[in-house]
């Protein structure tokens, strides 16, 4: 038999978080705990379909006016409008009709990752000149690993990091961040986490965001926000969108990638939106016209089910209120787990300080555990977490909190 044409293809390394989940599933130890997966879990350790989502799914199933025709290339208009509305609140969305008062448009995408990719592809083609692959793209250190990959795959050649995490104080390195922005070439692109920074869970305060915005405006830097946890982080849509809205109020043109995986629990529906903020309608319409070309050769048309669920929920005051309550239920459970874990570690006298557990926000916490301690947790205690020490707070339950806290205490005490 002739050799395969694919013989020279190397095997790619597995995606770390999914490999961790696979290892967890294969582990037969009854004590095992999965703190790696990036999805919400109930106190019983189970996925949760939001009650409002179940209700809306039934409404959609009974709606005889719906069909399976293609959506517009840019997506379901009522989804796009409502998605941008919750991100930006008082600002106005651009529809298909021209209006000089409007300055915001959007593109439905395959999750937040799809929004990032469409935005990255557009910026590479049309920002700071045509096909300027040399425009520097700055990503926080650390950051969600996909940020780097998305921009590399979009063709950018100069991916840089900016200071963010101060390991010594287990908090934000604001001065390092500002210094990096001061030194960045004009028109550089900065990927900013709108809230619940992944993986650290550490966000700038409003005053710190104002300092960041001031430098970015003076240095002509382009903000590309990634908003994956609005409402889920603090329980407040407004608080979690504060940074994005402030930048818009300061006159920035920007992109904001939105994901509805976490705050709607629609992980496998791949519901995302790329909000575009421009100076006026003409600019936004031209941007959307180019994004339409990119989408056409990427996924051509987006799926409708998840978009209909989100649009139906956000456009009804009653359903919106139910959804908000569901989101707060998830956020409150995460906040409770943070408080309980910190309390237990401090009660055990675990070496170090643990206030960062409750000062951080959102799904993830950067524990401060080093790789050797993480390895001990996995191999000896059957507690699965990322090598960086990041844990998903949703993996904690009232049933495993004591075991996890005692295991962290043991790891920190025994392994240096």
């Amino acid at each position: 038999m002739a050799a395969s044409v694919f013989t020279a293809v190397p095997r790619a390394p597995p995606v770390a978080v999914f490999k961790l989940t696979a290892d967890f599933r294969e582990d037969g130890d009854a004590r095992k705990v999965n703190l790696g997966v990036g999805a919400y879990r109930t106190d019983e350790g189970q996925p949760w379909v939001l009650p409002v989502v179940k209700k809306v799914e039934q409404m959609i199933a009974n709606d005889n006016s719906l069909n399976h025709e293609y959506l517009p290339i840019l997506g379901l208009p009522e989804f796009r409008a409502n998605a941008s509305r919750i991100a930006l609140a008082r600002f106005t969305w651009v529809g298909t009709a021209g209006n000089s008062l409007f300055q915001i448009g959007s593109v439905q995408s395959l999750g937040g990752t799809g929004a990032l990719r469409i935005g990255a592809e557009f910026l590479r083609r049309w920002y700071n000149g045509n096909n300027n692959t040399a425009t520097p793209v700055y990503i926080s250190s650390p950051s969600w690993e996909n940020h780097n990959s998305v921009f590399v795959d979009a063709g950018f050649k100069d991916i840089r990091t900016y200071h963010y995490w101060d390991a010594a104080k287990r908090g934000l390195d604001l001065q390092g961040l500002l210094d990096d922005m001061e030194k960045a070439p004009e028109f550089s692109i900065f990927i900013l986490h709108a809230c619940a920074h992944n993986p650290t869970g550490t966000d700038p305060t409003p005053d710190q965001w104002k300092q960041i915005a001031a430098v970015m405006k003076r240095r002509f830097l382009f903000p590309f926000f990634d908003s994956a946890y609005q409402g889920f982080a603090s329980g407040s849509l407004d608080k979690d969108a504060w940074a994005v809205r402030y930048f818009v109020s300061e006159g920035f043109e920007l992109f904001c990638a939105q994901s509805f995986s976490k705050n709607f629990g629609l992980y496998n529906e791949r519901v995302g939106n790329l909000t575009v903020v421009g100076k006026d309608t003409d600019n936004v319409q031209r941007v959307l016209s180019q994004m339409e070309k990119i989408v056409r050769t990427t996924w051509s048309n987006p799926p409708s089910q998840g978009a209909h669920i989100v649009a139906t929920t956000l456009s009804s005051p009653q359903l919106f209120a139910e959804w908000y309550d569901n989101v707060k239920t998830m956020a409150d459970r995460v906040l409770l787990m943070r408080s309980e874990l910190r309390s237990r570690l401090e009660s055990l006298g675990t070496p170090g300080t643990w206030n960062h557990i409750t000062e951080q926000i959102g799904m993830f916490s950067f524990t401060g555990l080093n790789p050797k301690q993480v390895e001990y947790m996995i191999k000896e205690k059957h507690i699965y977490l990322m090598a960086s020490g990041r844990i998903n707070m949703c993996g904690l339950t009232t049933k495993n909190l004591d075991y996890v806290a005692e295991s962290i205490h043991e790891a920190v005490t025994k392994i240096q």
Side-chain angles (χ1 to χ4, degrees), residues 378-412:
I378 294 174
K379 290 186 175 180
E380 301 298 328
K381 311 307 291 186
H382 304 272
I383 297 174
Y384 290 79
L385 64 158
M386 299 298 287
S388 63
R390 187 199 82 174
I391 64 173
N392 177 4
M393 299 305 298
C394 304
L396 295 173
T397 70
T398 53
K399 300 177 184 66
N400 66 30
L401 261 170
D402 287 332
Y403 177 64
V404 171
E406 290 163 3
S407 298
I408 292 175
H409 176 82
E410 191 174 308
V412 172

Side-chain angles (χ1 to χ4, degrees), residues 110-227:
L110 298 189
T113 303
L116 287 165
R117 182 55 192 265
I118 296 301
E121 185 71 26
F122 172 86
L123 291 171
R124 194 263 300 157
R125 293 186 187 190
W126 297 107
Y127 174 73
N128 195 23
N130 293 347
N131 198 32
N132 190 350
T133 62
T135 301
V137 177
Y138 283 80
I139 297 171
S140 66
S141 178
S143 190
W144 182 48
E145 71 278 359
N146 235 13
H147 282 151
N148 185 83
S149 300
V150 165
F151 281 83
V152 167
D153 286 354
F156 285 96
K157 305 297 185 184
D158 190 0
I159 309 296
R160 309 182 186 186
T161 59
Y162 61 88
H163 286 82
Y164 195 87
W165 175 252
D166 185 328
K169 69 177 185 180
R170 297 183 179 180
L172 178 67
D173 180 5
L174 178 65
Q175 193 55 53
L177 187 161
L178 294 175
D179 288 346
D180 287 341
M181 288 183 166
E182 291 283 7
K183 297 171 185 174
E186 290 184 352
F187 305 110
S188 293
I189 300 164
F190 271 74
I191 312 306
L192 305 171
H193 299 233
C195 66
H197 182 274
N198 179 5
T200 70
T202 296
D203 291 345
T205 65
D207 283 343
Q208 291 170 335
W209 274 121
K210 289 179 180 179
Q211 294 179 62
I212 293 167
V215 175
M216 293 191 72
K217 179 181 286 189
R218 179 162 45 78
R219 297 289 303 142
F220 300 101
L221 306 175
F222 185 83
F224 194 149
F225 281 95
D226 186 357
S227 179

Side-chain angles (χ1 to χ4, degrees), residues 47-359:
W48 190 44
V49 179
L50 274 60
V52 72
V53 168
K54 285 185 176 180
K55 177 184 289 189
V56 174
E57 284 178 322
Q58 193 61 55
M59 290 169 59
I60 291 172
N62 294 332
D63 187 347
N64 292 325
S65 70
L66 296 177
N67 54 48
H68 295 288
E69 292 293 300
Y70 290 119
L71 292 182
I73 293 174
L74 293 180
L76 187 69
E78 52 267 41
F79 163 76
R80 295 162 54 210
N82 279 288
S84 293
R85 178 176 59 82
I86 67 164
L88 300 178
R90 60 192 175 86
F91 302 100
T92 311
W93 181 76
V94 171
T96 54
N99 188 319
S100 61
L101 297 177
F102 295 169
Q103 59 177 353
I104 295 163
S106 58
V107 179
Q108 183 184 335
S109 62
L110 298 189
T113 303
L116 287 165
R117 182 55 192 265
I118 296 301
E121 185 71 26
F122 172 86
L123 291 171
R124 194 263 300 157
R125 293 186 187 190
W126 297 107
Y127 174 73
N128 195 23
N130 293 347
N131 198 32
N132 190 350
T133 62
T135 301
V137 177
Y138 283 80
I139 297 171
S140 66
S141 178
S143 190
W144 182 48
E145 71 278 359
N146 235 13
H147 282 151
N148 185 83
S149 300
V150 165
F151 281 83
V152 167
D153 286 354
F156 285 96
K157 305 297 185 184
D158 190 0
I159 309 296
R160 309 182 186 186
T161 59
Y162 61 88
H163 286 82
Y164 195 87
W165 175 252
D166 185 328
K169 69 177 185 180
R170 297 183 179 180
L172 178 67
D173 180 5
L174 178 65
Q175 193 55 53
L177 187 161
L178 294 175
D179 288 346
D180 287 341
M181 288 183 166
E182 291 283 7
K183 297 171 185 174
E186 290 184 352
F187 305 110
S188 293
I189 300 164
F190 271 74
I191 312 306
L192 305 171
H193 299 233
C195 66
H197 182 274
N198 179 5
T200 70
T202 296
D203 291 345
T205 65
D207 283 343
Q208 291 170 335
W209 274 121
K210 289 179 180 179
Q211 294 179 62
I212 293 167
V215 175
M216 293 191 72
K217 179 181 286 189
R218 179 162 45 78
R219 297 289 303 142
F220 300 101
L221 306 175
F222 185 83
F224 194 149
F225 281 95
D226 186 357
S227 179
Y229 303 95
Q230 188 182 359
F232 188 99
S234 68
S236 166
L237 290 173
D238 294 332
K239 183 176 181 180
D240 293 346
W242 191 92
V244 181
R245 294 174 186 177
Y246 178 75
F247 271 66
V248 174
S249 73
E250 286 293 295
F252 279 90
E253 294 184 292
L254 57 81
F255 288 174
C256 179
Q258 296 170 264
S259 169
F260 293 90
S261 295
K262 308 297 191 299
N263 56 16
F264 265 83
L266 295 172
Y267 301 96
N268 67 10
E269 295 289 352
R270 309 313 299 138
V271 189
N273 187 62
L274 176 62
T275 291
V276 177
V277 179
K279 292 293 186 184
D280 53 49
T281 299
D282 181 59
N283 277 295
V284 172
Q285 292 287 9
R286 284 185 286 104
V287 169
L288 293 181
S289 75
Q290 293 295 338
M291 289 185 172
E292 187 172 49
K293 299 296 185 185
I294 297 169
V295 170
R296 178 61 174 158
T297 59
T298 308
W299 54 71
S300 189
N301 303 83
S304 69
Q305 178 73 1
H308 275 298
I309 292 170
V310 173
T312 301
T313 303
L314 298 183
S315 59
S316 161
Q318 180 182 347
L319 293 172
F320 182 93
E322 291 181 41
W323 170 65
Y324 205 106
D325 185 62
N326 291 170
V327 172
K328 194 170 189 312
T329 295
M330 294 188 286
D332 286 349
R333 192 181 105 68
V334 172
L335 292 170
L336 176 62
M337 290 300 101
R338 288 186 177 279
S339 175
E340 293 294 323
L341 179 60
R342 175 185 173 180
S343 175
R344 281 163 171 75
L345 290 172
E346 290 177 343
S347 295
L348 289 167
T350 307
T353 58
W354 299 97
N355 53 298
H356 62 282
I357 298 291
T358 52
E359 291 172 355

